[in-house]
Amino acid sequence: MNGTANNDWHELNYSYLVNAAQQVHQLLERHAAPAEAQSETATESILAAIAATMPAPPALEQLVAIFELSLFERDILLLCVAMELIPNFKLLCAKVQGNPELNYPTFGLAKTVFPSFNWGATKATATLLSWQLIEIKQGATRLESSLEINQRVFYYLLGESCVDAQLLGIINPLPLESTHHKLLPPSHQKIALDISSNRSGDIVPVVQLCGADLVDKRNIAAAASSLMGYSLDLISAIHLPSEPNQLYHLRRCIEREAILNNSIVLLECDEVSLKEPAREQAISLFIEGIGINLIVSSRDRIPQKQRPLFTIDVPKLTKAEQRAIWQDVLGSAAEELNGQLETLVSQFNLSMPAIMTAGAIASNKINQDRSSSPTNTNNLAQTLWNTCRSNARPRLDDLATRIESKVTWDDLILVAEQSKILQQIAVHVKERANVYEDWGFAGKNYRGLGINALFAGSSGTGKTLAAEVLANELKLDLYRIDLSSVVSKYIGETEKNLRRIFDAAETGGRFYYLMKLMLYLARGLKLKIVGIDMPTKKSAICYSEWKLIKVWQF
């Protein structure tokens, strides 16, 4: 609907709701004072006339259709709405019930005035209460318990946007137009299309997106939702309670919110440990019991139980995709890089939002420098490199210490052979883009593309200084990781810490220096470049699953 039609709908919708509540008010008046009651036929004709002029159905009738409410359930809902909209309605409730203390809607009042009264609709498992469309406040008896319309449902009937108070801070709506599938890189566009085409009727099978980058998975989920005409609601698995009854009520609130918002729910499990039995059980029960469209985001695959999951692995962007995004972000300014864009793409493995952010920050910085000093010829490549380097820094304060390296080759005194080896390491890193991309080596084998250097020697021989020199020469951040901060006595924590380090390394821009690391941990490292400090002198060639690691002795 356009703006004018939307405003008209809101006005007409409110008028429809008020007249529908007046219809219930008149019904109560006929029981309180039959001689003074108005004709019900007149109200019915008014409602029909209003609905005929509306550009979309009234919210009340939409809600009735969505939850398949019976006539009696609709009347109960309107009884609670009248309490909110009609002044002094509580006095009429008390008069009809013959008790001044019962000045509110009750099932007893409904039994008195509604011919279609049905005891089945009063059960906790019936639609009104199970979906929490109304809330019941316990009274002396079931018939005397107070009935209130749920605040979220009331504002939905008014046509006003509102978030369920029970879900504040738990669920975060993402607007429908925030991410379009055509804005995604090709590999992620395909995944979004696969999700949208794998639907069965109005229900999409539970989709599981597995991968390291949460932003990429969130964008894919938003794009897939947009393709199917839905918005997206985000919820973290951290908020799922382990107590089954609490989990059930939270799930029903989430389901109702998704139905009212016409949205798909994205359950993000990336920040939780699936090895915790209570957490894993809560996630499993949530997935098994959900009755709406659901997408699950996780780093690793969640074990399938009774309900099958449509699992899709979300890969990192290819170098070609990253290059295309950079060129699109930089526009004509990309020509200033003089081929250095390949080096940037080779070193930093960034997502699309990260590239767009880095490009915007670098462009703004250059424009500011040029406006303040027209003679300033700030190099775009250097600015982009420093921006990517800064933005890609991980949060590893508890596991690693970043070292500001300012030392140069002149500060490192070594014999000629050792200096030559270190120079070769630097050249290998600088020429990675040519070897892996231009010469096509990366297309043959995607594993073992990092460069690992194992330094051995006693204390004071220059191992740490050599790492600082290399980091400064390559313009990479230097992180010192002490094994004692990585190893934990708690089950699974050591692996979790190592994974955090390796995942952070995937974005590039870092030089990791692992202090006193045992030799077997060096096998299979996939970091861009790693200096490994061995506590004892070694003079050997160590083979691993991934690549050759040479031990440079100091």
Side-chain angles (χ1 to χ4, degrees):
M1 292 186 291
N2 58 38
T4 302
N6 192 46
N7 291 334
D8 291 343
W9 180 88
H10 274 85
E11 294 177 4
L12 293 170
N13 178 72
Y14 180 77
S15 178
Y16 187 95
L17 185 63
V18 170
N19 278 275
Q22 285 287 358
Q23 191 176 35
V24 173
H25 182 267
Q26 294 168 14
L27 185 59
L28 266 64
E29 284 184 326
R30 279 200 295 273
H31 282 78
E36 302 175 7
Q38 298 180 18
S39 171
E40 182 180 356
T41 306
T43 308
E44 287 288 351
S45 62
I46 293 173
L47 291 175
I50 295 173
T53 61
M54 296 181 68
L60 173 63
E61 304 310 329
Q62 292 185 45
L63 189 76
V64 169
I66 290 171
F67 292 99
E68 300 179 345
L69 301 182
S70 66
L71 177 61
F72 172 65
E73 291 169 330
R74 180 181 184 274
D75 289 338
I76 287 286
L77 201 64
L78 284 173
L79 188 64
C80 297
V81 170
M83 187 68 176
E84 301 291 336
L85 295 181
I86 300 177
N88 299 322
F89 186 74
K90 63 181 181 180
L91 300 179
L92 187 56
C93 291
K95 187 175 181 180
V96 174
Q97 295 183 91
N99 186 340
E101 295 184 357
L102 298 179
N103 59 348
Y104 45 76
T106 64
F107 283 129
L109 177 61
K111 189 173 185 296
T112 301
V113 299
F114 298 138
S116 57
F117 180 83
N118 177 12
W119 276 106
T122 69
K123 296 187 297 184
T125 55
T127 304
L128 287 175
L129 293 176
S130 68
W131 281 108
Q132 302 176 35
L133 303 182
I134 64 171
E135 298 169 1
I136 184 169
K137 310 297 182 181
Q138 294 299 327
T141 66
R142 184 72 170 176
L143 291 177
E144 294 180 349
S145 297
S146 172
L147 303 180
E148 296 179 7
I149 188 170
N150 179 274
Q151 182 186 33
R152 174 66 178 93
V153 176
F154 176 64
Y155 281 101
Y156 175 85
L157 294 178
L158 291 175
E160 301 292 337
S161 60
C162 176
V163 178
D164 192 331
Q166 300 178 75
L167 298 178
L168 288 173
I170 295 178
I171 197 166
N172 298 293
L174 192 67
L176 182 67
E177 65 276 6
S178 63
T179 302
H180 193 274
H181 74 284
K182 292 183 179 179
L183 301 178
L184 296 178
S187 61
H188 292 177
Q189 284 185 34
K190 184 179 183 304
I191 295 175
L193 289 169
D194 288 343
I195 295 173
S196 63
S197 63
N198 195 48
R199 61 190 303 180
S200 177
D202 293 331
I203 297 295
V204 178
V206 176
V207 177
Q208 181 178 203
L209 298 177
C210 296
D213 198 307
L214 177 58
V215 175
D216 285 343
K217 291 180 290 184
R218 186 177 291 179
N219 288 339
I220 290 171
S225 301
S226 177
L227 284 168
M228 293 182 286
Y230 293 95
S231 57
L232 187 67
D233 287 339
L234 311 179
I235 179 173
S236 172
I238 295 174
H239 300 301
L240 298 183
S242 57
E243 202 279 316
N245 190 52
Q246 294 178 8
L247 180 64
Y248 170 80
H249 286 290
L250 178 62
R251 192 186 71 228
R252 291 300 271 181
C253 285
I254 293 172
E255 288 176 320
R256 187 190 65 199
E257 189 71 14
I259 292 172
L260 297 181
N261 283 342
N262 189 39
S263 62
I264 292 176
V265 170
L266 174 62
L267 178 66
E268 298 179 342
C269 304
D270 300 72
E271 301 302 323
V272 301
S273 174
L274 298 177
K275 294 182 179 181
E276 297 177 14
R279 183 66 60 189
E280 191 273 336
Q281 179 71 5
I283 293 173
S284 178
L285 289 175
F286 185 88
I287 294 174
E288 294 291 329
I290 202 78
I292 55 173
N293 297 324
L294 177 69
I295 299 176
V296 180
S297 167
S298 62
R299 300 180 62 87
D300 301 312
R301 297 193 175 208
I302 297 175
Q304 298 187 15
K305 294 191 176 179
Q306 295 182 359
R307 188 170 187 175
L309 303 177
F310 174 40
T311 303
I312 302 176
D313 292 316
V314 179
K316 287 279 190 178
L317 298 182
T318 64
K319 297 301 180 183
E321 289 174 331
Q322 293 181 53
R323 188 184 304 108
I325 296 171
W326 274 116
Q327 291 172 340
D328 184 59
V329 169
L330 297 175
S332 59
E335 299 176 2
E336 298 181 29
L337 295 178
N338 296 323
Q340 296 183 61
L341 182 59
E342 292 297 332
T343 304
L344 197 70
V345 171
S346 176
Q347 182 60 51
F348 298 98
N349 192 13
L350 302 179
S351 64
M352 184 178 70
I355 293 175
M356 296 175 68
T357 300
I361 292 174
S363 298
N364 290 337
K365 186 178 186 305
I366 290 176
N367 291 335
Q368 290 174 4
D369 291 342
R370 287 175 177 173
S371 61
S372 61
S373 177
T375 60
N376 189 342
T377 57
N378 197 318
N379 183 272
L380 176 60
Q382 180 181 348
T383 303
L384 281 173
W385 182 279
N386 292 335
T387 303
C388 291
R389 175 179 170 181
S390 176
N391 290 356
R393 284 170 181 163
R395 289 176 294 179
L396 294 173
D397 294 341
D398 55 334
L399 297 176
T401 302
R402 187 167 66 89
I403 301 174
E404 291 287 349
S405 178
K406 297 181 180 180
V407 294
T408 64
W409 293 110
D410 294 335
D411 299 309
L412 183 64
I413 308 301
L414 293 173
V415 298
E417 181 182 358
Q418 294 170 343
S419 294
K420 182 179 179 180
I421 291 174
L422 290 175
Q423 295 279 0
Q424 289 176 348
I425 295 175
V427 171
H428 284 193
V429 177
K430 291 178 181 179
E431 297 300 325
R432 289 174 68 251
N434 291 333
V435 175
Y436 294 147
E437 302 299 328
D438 296 344
W439 298 356
F441 276 68
K444 302 296 183 182
N445 185 9
Y446 66 92
R447 299 181 301 172
L449 301 183
I451 297 176
N452 304 332
L454 181 60
F455 299 160
S458 58
S459 298
T461 52
K463 301 185 297 297
T464 303
L465 186 62
E468 293 185 34
V469 169
L470 283 173
N472 189 36
E473 170 70 15
L474 298 169
K475 295 183 176 60
L476 300 176
D477 285 341
L478 176 63
Y479 280 85
R480 182 176 60 212
I481 302 172
D482 196 324
L483 187 61
S484 63
S485 65
V486 176
V487 175
S488 173
K489 64 180 180 180
Y490 299 104
I491 297 175
E493 283 299 308
T494 299
E495 293 83 353
K496 181 179 178 181
N497 291 338
L498 285 171
R499 180 170 192 169
R500 285 178 57 194
I501 295 170
F502 294 158
D503 286 346
E506 290 294 330
T507 58
R510 274 170 295 286
F511 182 112
Y512 284 91
Y513 188 59
L514 285 79
M515 302 294 293
K516 299 179 175 58
L517 184 66
M518 288 181 289
L519 184 59
Y520 73 89
L521 285 178
R523 294 186 171 94
L525 291 177
K526 297 182 287 183
L527 309 182
K528 298 297 182 184
I529 176 169
V530 180
I532 304 175
D533 177 5
M534 292 296 294
T536 59
K537 290 185 178 182
K538 300 288 182 181
S539 180
I541 301 298
C542 302
Y543 293 91
S544 71
E545 177 185 357
W546 301 98
K547 68 184 276 80
L548 179 68
I549 302 179
K550 185 171 183 179
V551 183
W552 282 277
Q553 180 175 332
F554 284 73

